[in-house]
Amino acid sequence: MTDNDMRDDDMRDDDMRDDRNGLIVFGAGGRVGRATVAEAAARGLRVTAVVRDPAKYRDLEGGSVTVVRGDVTDPTSVAALSAGHAAAVNASVRLDVPAVEFFPAAAKALMAGLVDAGVGRLVVVGIATTLQTAPGVRMMDAPDFPEPHRAFSQGHVEEFELLTDGAGPDLDWLMVVPALDLNAQAPVTGGYRTAVGTVLDGPGRIAHADLARAVVDEAVRPRHSRVQLAVSA
């Protein structure tokens, strides 16, 4: 197994199972959020699943998982919900709000709220179109790239820039970026490959469960910091 081929078999952190610790997942109701909650719970971690309307997501609750209402763009909400957790994951997305508004607002709220709550690790989920295909050239920079997709991608670019420029020493963060084909039907391999900032060679496909494995690995025992970490099967 190489450094770029990870499994979580021995990536467990007993401290996060303690009632004083655990993982908080913003955007827990989406596909990536659900997979992240499931992965963390399967490891025996205490999980707080944050959604906008808990009544719609009661199926998430049970065992070590608690579902709560919260707003990832509100630093007060972030701070109140995150206190007592060891790490946070942001898998939130809003399709009814322009991406260039939502993702930067979430980044600002998380930077402020997590520090106020004493949470020192944040993993955010990015998008493959922001990765480089050649030095200095991102997938979204292609002349024929669809304009609506470019606008959505730009939200993640601004999120990354805000984290890069604005996160101080009290918050260690990482943006985990799935392969372009994040596919619910993709086979679950139990592992993943990584690269920093660039598209990985190969099929460019990953199952939600394998992406969640990478997200929780990096939340539990960080191996990368303050970069875009591309993840693919």
Side-chain angles (χ1 to χ4, degrees), residues 24 32 62 76 85 95 100 110 120 128 132 156 195 197 210 225:
I24 184 166
V32 174
T76 301
H85 292 80
L95 300 181
V100 291
L110 287 163
Q132 292 188 22
H156 282 286
D210 286 334
S225 179

Side-chain angles (χ1 to χ4, degrees), residues 134-215:
V137 180
R138 300 167 302 189
M139 192 182 301
M140 61 182 282
D141 295 330
D144 58 347
F145 193 83
E147 197 56 40
H149 293 174
R150 194 191 313 275
F152 187 82
S153 301
Q154 185 61 33
H156 282 286
V157 170
E158 295 185 17
E159 174 188 35
F160 181 75
E161 291 175 348
L162 277 168
L163 289 167
T164 300
D165 296 337
D170 293 331
L171 182 64
D172 185 33
W173 62 271
L174 176 70
M175 179 176 280
V176 172
V177 184
L180 187 61
D181 186 8
L182 177 56
N183 196 313
Q185 304 304 316
V188 177
T189 68
Y192 53 87
R193 299 177 297 128
T194 66
V196 174
T198 63
V199 173
L200 282 151
D201 293 335
R205 193 183 199 203
I206 192 169
H208 289 81
D210 286 334
L211 172 62
R213 188 181 300 269
V215 168

Side-chain angles (χ1 to χ4, degrees), residues 211-229:
L211 172 62
R213 188 181 300 269
V215 168
V216 177
D217 280 352
E218 285 288 348
V220 170
R221 292 189 181 176
R223 294 183 178 220
H224 302 84
S225 179
R226 299 174 182 265
V227 296
Q228 285 182 304
L229 184 69

Side-chain angles (χ1 to χ4, degrees), residues 20-209:
R20 295 167 298 174
N21 295 302
L23 185 67
I24 184 166
V25 180
F26 294 90
R31 288 185 177 182
V32 174
R34 282 178 173 273
T36 301
V37 169
E39 174 67 19
R43 300 191 195 192
L45 305 182
R46 180 176 66 86
V47 185
T48 299
V50 184
V51 296
R52 286 189 289 157
D53 184 357
K56 295 181 178 179
Y57 301 102
R58 289 303 178 195
D59 61 302
L60 286 172
E61 196 159 59
S64 64
V65 180
T66 302
V67 178
V68 300
R69 183 190 310 275
D71 181 357
V72 73
T73 65
D74 178 356
T76 301
S77 177
V78 170
L81 295 174
S82 300
H85 292 80
V89 170
N90 183 26
S92 301
V93 64
R94 287 283 298 270
L95 300 181
D96 59 333
V97 178
V100 291
E101 296 177 14
F102 176 73
F103 291 113
K108 292 176 183 177
L110 287 163
M111 284 190 289
L114 293 177
V115 170
D116 286 348
V119 179
R121 178 64 169 175
L122 168 65
V123 178
V124 302
V125 179
I127 190 170
T129 52
T130 63
L131 294 171
Q132 292 188 22
T133 55
V137 180
R138 300 167 302 189
M139 192 182 301
M140 61 182 282
D141 295 330
D144 58 347
F145 193 83
E147 197 56 40
H149 293 174
R150 194 191 313 275
F152 187 82
S153 301
Q154 185 61 33
H156 282 286
V157 170
E158 295 185 17
E159 174 188 35
F160 181 75
E161 291 175 348
L162 277 168
L163 289 167
T164 300
D165 296 337
D170 293 331
L171 182 64
D172 185 33
W173 62 271
L174 176 70
M175 179 176 280
V176 172
V177 184
L180 187 61
D181 186 8
L182 177 56
N183 196 313
Q185 304 304 316
V188 177
T189 68
Y192 53 87
R193 299 177 297 128
T194 66
V196 174
T198 63
V199 173
L200 282 151
D201 293 335
R205 193 183 199 203
I206 192 169
H208 289 81

